[in-house]
């Protein structure tokens, strides 16, 4: 692939993430569960372009992405808990709650054994993290770019 073709492919990868992925998350920002589901799916997709598929447990790849690009939410186990519970059952196994209440200022908090996640803070962190990821995709020779191009070739 020539450098021009490579750059075009990277732009083709970035465009739907930026336009549809982030756009839909922003559009649904006030719909707490919708915003959260879209966010977790978006993070899952970004992680699949950022890191090679070498793990049988995809949650490791997603948690690595969260740690690197959304550090505010690192260690909560977003993917492992929510990818399956919320997305498939609209339930959080009574350990987690979601809010977009403007009075809830923290990105997340633990209250009486319940972890409350502020989806507004999550969306902000996703936008910021995507900006960092996008910069890496645009950097010739970066691991992010190489992995994204390899994934795009397969799919």
């Amino acid at each position: 692939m020539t450098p021009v073709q490579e750059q075009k492919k990277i732009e083709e990868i970035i465009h739907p993430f930026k336009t549809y992925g982030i756009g839909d998350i922003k559009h649904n920002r006030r719909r707490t569960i919708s915003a959260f589901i879209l966010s977790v799916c978006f993070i899952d997709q970004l992680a699949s372009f950022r890191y090679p598929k070498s793990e049988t447990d995809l949650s490791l790849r997603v948690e690595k992405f969260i740690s690197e690009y959304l550090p505010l939410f690192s260690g909560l186990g977003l993917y492992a808990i929510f990818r399956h519970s919320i997305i498939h059952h609209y339930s959080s196994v009574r350990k987690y709650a979601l809010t977009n209440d403007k009075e809830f200022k923290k990105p997340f908090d633990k209250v009486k054994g319940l972890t409350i996640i502020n989806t507004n803070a999550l969306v902000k962190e996703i936008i910021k993290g995507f900006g960092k990821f996008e910069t890496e995709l645009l950097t010739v020779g970066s691991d992010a770019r190489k992995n994204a191009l390899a994934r795009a070739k397969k799919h």
Side-chain angles (χ1 to χ4, degrees), residues 54-121:
S54 58
E55 309 286 340
T56 53
D57 183 359
L58 298 180
S59 68
L60 296 176
R61 183 169 67 181
V62 174
E63 292 300 334
K64 184 176 180 181
F65 186 89
I66 291 169
S67 179
E68 190 171 340
Y69 296 92
L70 292 87
L72 208 53
F73 291 91
S74 182
L76 288 181
L78 288 181
Y79 184 85
I81 298 297
F82 291 107
R83 175 66 169 83
H84 302 294
S85 298
I86 293 271
I87 291 173
H88 298 296
H89 304 291
Y90 292 94
S91 168
S92 66
V93 293
R94 296 187 183 116
K95 294 180 183 177
Y96 297 86
L98 304 171
T99 187
N100 63 3
D101 186 340
K102 293 188 186 322
E103 298 300 313
F104 191 86
K105 302 291 184 194
K106 298 177 181 179
F108 66 90
D109 200 4
K110 295 185 186 233
V111 178
K112 296 180 184 177
L114 187 72
T115 301
I116 303 168
I117 295 173
N118 181 337
T119 55
N120 289 323

Side-chain angles (χ1 to χ4, degrees), residues 9-77:
K9 180 54 77 179
I10 288 296
E11 290 168 8
E12 288 172 1
I13 292 167
I14 291 170
H15 177 75
F17 284 146
K18 194 181 243 181
T19 305
Y20 307 116
I22 289 178
D24 284 350
I25 290 168
K26 285 179 177 179
H27 177 75
N28 287 285
R29 191 178 222 150
R30 286 189 225 131
R31 297 174 182 103
T32 309
I33 292 176
S34 298
F36 189 80
I37 290 172
L38 288 167
S39 295
V40 173
C41 291
F42 186 67
I43 293 166
D44 188 16
Q45 269 303 300
L46 294 178
S48 76
F49 276 84
R50 174 57 185 93
Y51 305 107
K53 185 180 178 183
S54 58
E55 309 286 340
T56 53
D57 183 359
L58 298 180
S59 68
L60 296 176
R61 183 169 67 181
V62 174
E63 292 300 334
K64 184 176 180 181
F65 186 89
I66 291 169
S67 179
E68 190 171 340
Y69 296 92
L70 292 87
L72 208 53
F73 291 91
S74 182
L76 288 181

